[in-house]
Amino acid sequence: MIVRRLEERSMVGMTLIEVLVALAIVAITLSAGIKAAGGLTLNAQRVADLTVGQWCIENQLFALKANATFPDVGDSEFKCQQLGREFKGKQAVRPTVNANNFRRIEVQVLDEEGQSVVKVITVLPRP
């Protein structure tokens, strides 16, 4: 009877090695989850920057269209403030094959560190 109670008692709990293995599995799983969450945060910031950069480009292109003048060929820079941040922009106007009627407009928006956020190339007709 005493032997039987010792056998039952030893089978009830988990050994230290089993507990350590379980903790290692949980730690690996949690670290993978934290890494994935960090990636989602960076992706959300990138999407926000891309959206704001697109607004800047749309504003710049609208200003060219609303000006009702044919833009001269050349490079220029502009600034755009959106959502409390200031973005730098570069605009390049190039001639096309039909230079009398169309201009190729390349607009690029850069963030505060000078990294490219978004670039759009379009063709603008003579007004």
Side-chain angles (χ1 to χ4, degrees), residues 20-85:
L20 290 175
V21 168
L23 284 175
I25 291 170
V26 169
I28 291 170
T29 305
L30 287 175
S31 67
I34 290 171
K35 185 176 181 182
L40 289 174
T41 303
L42 289 175
N43 192 33
Q45 181 61 43
R46 173 73 181 137
V47 169
D49 287 350
L50 187 63
T51 302
V52 172
Q54 187 70 33
W55 292 343
C56 289
I57 287 177
E58 287 175 8
N59 289 343
Q60 187 68 17
L61 291 175
F62 180 77
L64 286 173
K65 291 176 186 176
N67 204 9
T69 59
F70 206 45
D72 293 330
V73 175
D75 295 342
S76 62
E77 293 185 356
F78 63 94
K79 291 187 179 186
C80 174
Q81 190 167 4
Q82 295 284 344
L83 300 177
R85 295 173 62 193

Side-chain angles (χ1 to χ4, degrees), residues 46 49-50 52-61 64 74-80 86-94 104-122:
R46 173 73 181 137
D49 287 350
L50 187 63
V52 172
Q54 187 70 33
W55 292 343
C56 289
I57 287 177
E58 287 175 8
N59 289 343
Q60 187 68 17
L61 291 175
L64 286 173
D75 295 342
S76 62
E77 293 185 356
F78 63 94
K79 291 187 179 186
C80 174
E86 188 163 312
F87 294 88
K88 295 177 186 174
K90 294 181 180 180
Q91 175 180 300
V93 180
R94 301 287 182 257
R104 178 182 182 265
I105 313 291
E106 180 178 316
V107 183
Q108 181 178 17
V109 173
L110 310 169
D111 63 7
E112 292 89 353
E113 290 92 34
Q115 299 290 324
S116 178
V117 174
V118 64
K119 179 191 246 183
V120 172
I121 300 171
T122 189

Side-chain angles (χ1 to χ4, degrees), residues 92-107:
V93 180
R94 301 287 182 257
T96 61
V97 176
N98 188 353
N100 293 332
N101 294 317
F102 296 99
R103 292 282 194 256
R104 178 182 182 265
I105 313 291
E106 180 178 316
V107 183

